[in-house]
Amino acid sequence: MTILGCTGCGAKLTAPLTRVALPDSAHQKHGYHATAPVLMEPGTYAVDPAPSGPPWRRWGEVSPEEAEAQGVHAPVYALSFGAPGAVALAPGDLRNTAVVPDRCGGSCCGLDGSDGPNLACLRCARPVATRIDDCSLWQVVWLEARAVRRIRDEPEAPAAGWDEALAGEGSAPTDPSGGWNPRWEATVGAALARLLAASDGTPLAVPDGPLAPLFRRALDTLLPPGPGARTVALAGPGLPATAPSPDLALVPRHPVTGEVWRPPGGTIPVPLDAAVWTWLARAPERVLLPVTGGLPEGVERDDPLPLRPWYRFRPAGDVFFHTLARLPEVRLPWLRALYEERRERPWSDPF
């Protein structure tokens, strides 16, 4: 377990925490809801390896070499040249801090972090963290990399194996409001960027089943039609191998270590959030309330019926562009042209 404290005075700033992989939704904006979800599970933290916070520089002020050193290969609005290593945790796991009154800017229903660190250490008044809880953003506290240090860092238990990590039903596709779970929108947005980068500009064929409503429309929109389509399938621990093997496989990313499950042969792995992958992998096995004689194909019987999203699935466009800009393949002429053409329409559906 890890406890993080203030570098200025050593005060404890967190409850005991366990490190996990940074979620795909870490920087997602998912629409306007009165109550936004919490990004991190209680008792966990994740580290963002990218720089964050000021100073910021517009894209036109940054040389290609400086951008690539930051891991960015296509135009973005601005690049942070702050310290890497900001720490994300659930707001309820924060300790011994107070709000900085003149840094409480927001755009609607809460704090958006645009004024810089808005939480200070109670003991020494040093700004140490930024709380974000506006209605379009995930609720999270970001600890400043240079303002905190580990004051207790016990060796963590070995990460769970794949069977244990993927236990349970996973994350349901519908949120309590009846819409699509933003966690699904984020991980599919990131996976779409990686599928494009691995496609070489050729069509990708998505089979009928749980992947089709998530990926097919977007891939058919972004890639040209034609012969020679490469195949995409779900693969991972416990799923039977298919023959022939797919060209690309959507596989789980370990929720703690971030390790990507590797399919056999020459299949290219494309990671999905483990909880989303688990739900997709086990969807056909989900048993509904039985009735004598069975049910006709396509008929469900359960009480209550499972929630279904009331609108068509849309991947998270901001996560898609964020991920694609940080893949070296975006420098290929066809993919760079697609990125810039879609990015120039910020208020339209990029898919």
Side-chain angles (χ1 to χ4, degrees):
M1 304 295 285
T2 296
I3 294 177
L4 299 170
C6 175
T7 56
C9 65
K12 292 182 180 180
L13 298 178
T14 72
L17 303 172
T18 299
R19 183 168 179 173
V20 297
L22 185 71
D24 289 324
S25 50
H27 302 291
Q28 176 193 15
K29 293 185 178 181
H30 58 84
Y32 293 92
H33 297 274
T35 303
V38 177
L39 178 68
M40 304 299 300
E41 292 293 328
T44 68
Y45 77 99
V47 178
D48 188 350
S52 61
W56 293 88
R57 290 165 62 186
R58 297 284 183 90
W59 179 258
E61 303 169 354
V62 179
S63 70
E65 294 75 19
E66 289 176 309
E68 289 194 18
Q70 300 273 43
V72 180
H73 307 283
V76 295
Y77 179 74
L79 274 178
S80 167
F81 283 80
V87 177
L89 65 152
D93 286 328
L94 195 65
R95 302 287 187 269
N96 301 316
T97 59
V99 173
V100 181
D102 59 352
R103 293 187 178 181
C104 292
S107 59
C108 187
C109 301
L111 308 174
D112 64 7
S114 59
D115 294 329
N118 53 29
L119 296 171
C121 172
L122 270 178
R123 183 184 295 176
C124 68
R126 178 189 180 95
V128 292
T130 303
R131 173 157 183 167
I132 295 175
D133 56 15
D134 206 356
C135 60
S136 65
L137 305 169
W138 290 80
Q139 295 186 48
V140 65
V141 168
W142 289 98
L143 294 172
E144 299 288 306
R146 293 172 177 166
V148 298
R149 62 181 175 86
R150 288 170 170 78
I151 58 175
R152 175 182 166 191
D153 197 7
E154 298 175 357
E156 299 199 1
W162 283 110
D163 289 342
E164 185 179 347
L166 302 176
E169 288 196 347
S171 175
T174 309
D175 72 9
S177 71
W180 283 96
N181 186 334
R183 184 172 184 171
W184 281 56
E185 295 170 339
T187 195
V188 172
L192 271 174
R194 296 186 177 101
L195 285 170
L196 281 186
S199 72
D200 294 327
T202 59
L204 295 180
V206 181
D208 292 335
L211 294 181
L214 306 179
F215 291 95
R216 183 181 288 168
R217 182 179 68 91
L219 289 173
D220 288 349
T221 300
L222 297 170
L223 292 171
R230 305 172 76 186
T231 55
V232 179
L234 200 68
L239 291 185
T242 59
S245 298
D247 297 299
L248 298 96
L250 293 158
V251 301
R253 184 173 64 117
H254 197 286
V256 175
T257 65
E259 175 190 0
V260 177
W261 189 83
R262 297 290 172 180
T267 299
I268 299 172
V270 175
L272 284 177
D273 179 279
V276 174
W277 183 94
T278 299
W279 182 276
L280 291 170
R282 297 184 179 169
E285 302 174 7
R286 207 164 281 117
V287 178
L288 303 179
L289 197 65
V291 295
T292 302
L295 290 172
E297 183 72 23
V299 177
E300 295 180 351
R301 179 170 178 173
D302 206 350
D303 187 18
L305 285 171
L307 287 174
R308 303 290 189 193
W310 53 270
Y311 55 89
R312 184 174 63 185
F313 181 81
R314 291 185 178 89
D318 55 348
V319 178
F320 169 77
F321 288 121
H322 179 91
T323 305
L324 191 55
R326 287 156 178 81
L327 297 175
E329 292 85 352
V330 77
R331 294 175 295 190
L332 296 172
W334 74 270
L335 193 50
R336 178 66 172 266
L338 183 151
Y339 172 89
E340 294 188 354
E341 189 268 333
R342 302 277 166 164
R343 184 174 166 270
E344 288 175 359
R345 301 179 293 172
W347 304 113
S348 64
D349 182 358
F351 312 112

